[in-house]
Every structure is written in structure tokens, then in C-alpha cells.
Amino acid sequence: MRKFIKNIPAGIASVAITLLVAYLSLSPRPFGESHFFFFENADKVVHFLMYFGLASVYYLDYAKSRLPHHTHLEGEASIIATAIVLGGFMEIAQELTGVRTMDLWDFIANTAGALAAFAFIKLYFMHQFRRYLLKGSRRKSSSHRSRNEKSI
């Protein structure tokens, strides 16, 4: 699985998730006629999760493209800002479709999802992601001794 993830060209996952979010945001009925929302304002949870996923994929795609180097805060901030701006554009575009309507609370849920993705990845997941993708790709330096070697 690691080799598969490493071999995906940078940007492909970001483009795919952007197209999926655009389809789900602009399609009049992306899931057909059935309503599966189980409580009032459940669509806000869906918006949160969509933009959490979108920002996460953007962020991880950026991190993968920077390997073996670390990401920069400027790049991370611009990625999250891109997800937030896209959320705003999607809300405006919904109004222009004539079928769906723009909603400020949807935009707030989009923004919260993108910010939550940034916090989760930055504070928790990035270390595991880098370690997973870099595992086995580093060579041991000849100047460093392994833990099992004993000094003479």
C-alpha cells in the first residue's frame, strides 16, 4: 500500500477530491430522491466532513510532494485558505444554479471542517504520515553506529 501511495503523482488526489466535492455541492440531488438526513441540520455535518476530507487530502498531497523535507507553515496556511475559499465559491455557485441555495451556515461548516483538518493533521497525523511513507527509504549513515553495535 505504501508503494501505491508513494507512486500517485502529486496533485492527482487533490484534483479528484475537488471534483467530487464540486459534484456533491452543485448537483441538484447527488444521492437521488431519497433523503438520508436523520436530524435537523445534518447537512452541516456533511459539509464539515466534506471539507475536513478536502483539506486533509490537500494537506497530505502537499506533504507528500515535499518528502523527505518538512512542510512550511506558509504552504500549510495557503492550502487551508484554498479549501476555505473553495467552500465560499461552492456556496455562491449553488445560488447561481437556481436549484440549490447559498447558506452562510454551510460556509461556516465548510470552514470549520477545513480548520479542524489542519489542526488534526498538524498536531497529530503528520508525524505518522511522514514516518509511514519514509519507512525503509532512509539509509543508515556509516558515521553512526547502530544501537546493537558495541564500542571497542
Side-chain angles (χ1 to χ4, degrees):
M1 183 68 157
R2 178 183 355 223
K3 189 172 185 174
F4 174 75
I5 292 171
K6 285 175 107 174
N7 288 331
I8 297 173
I12 296 294
S14 294
V15 169
I17 195 76
T18 301
L19 292 174
L20 177 63
V21 167
Y23 170 75
L24 294 173
S25 296
L26 300 176
S27 176
R29 299 209 189 288
F31 298 107
E33 294 297 322
S34 65
H35 288 334
F36 59 90
F37 297 124
F38 301 112
F39 55 91
E40 188 177 347
N41 292 321
D43 67 314
K44 307 309 180 249
V45 174
V46 172
H47 279 266
F48 178 89
L49 293 173
M50 280 193 333
Y51 282 84
F52 183 93
L54 179 85
S56 296
V57 169
Y58 283 0
Y59 197 156
L60 295 175
D61 210 7
Y62 166 65
K64 190 181 100 173
S65 72
R66 297 268 314 144
L67 286 175
H69 306 290
H70 290 277
T71 58
H72 296 289
L73 186 58
E74 299 86 22
E76 297 165 350
S78 64
I79 285 168
I80 300 309
T82 299
I84 291 170
V85 168
L86 181 66
F89 282 145
M90 285 297 131
E91 289 303 316
I92 293 168
Q94 284 180 351
E95 190 67 32
L96 298 175
T97 63
V99 178
R100 311 231 359 220
T101 57
M102 181 171 61
D103 184 359
L104 176 63
W105 291 106
D106 286 349
F107 175 68
I108 291 170
N110 297 347
T111 301
L115 293 173
F118 172 73
F120 174 73
I121 292 173
K122 182 74 174 172
L123 299 175
Y124 174 71
F125 190 71
M126 185 57 73
H127 180 71
Q128 285 83 2
F129 180 74
R130 286 180 47 78
R131 186 173 52 193
Y132 177 75
L133 289 183
L134 289 174
K135 187 176 182 179
S137 66
R138 294 185 184 180
R139 293 182 179 172
K140 290 183 181 178
S141 173
S142 60
S143 64
H144 292 91
R145 296 178 194 220
S146 70
R147 291 182 185 175
N148 294 335
E149 288 182 315
K150 296 181 180 178
S151 61
I152 301 178

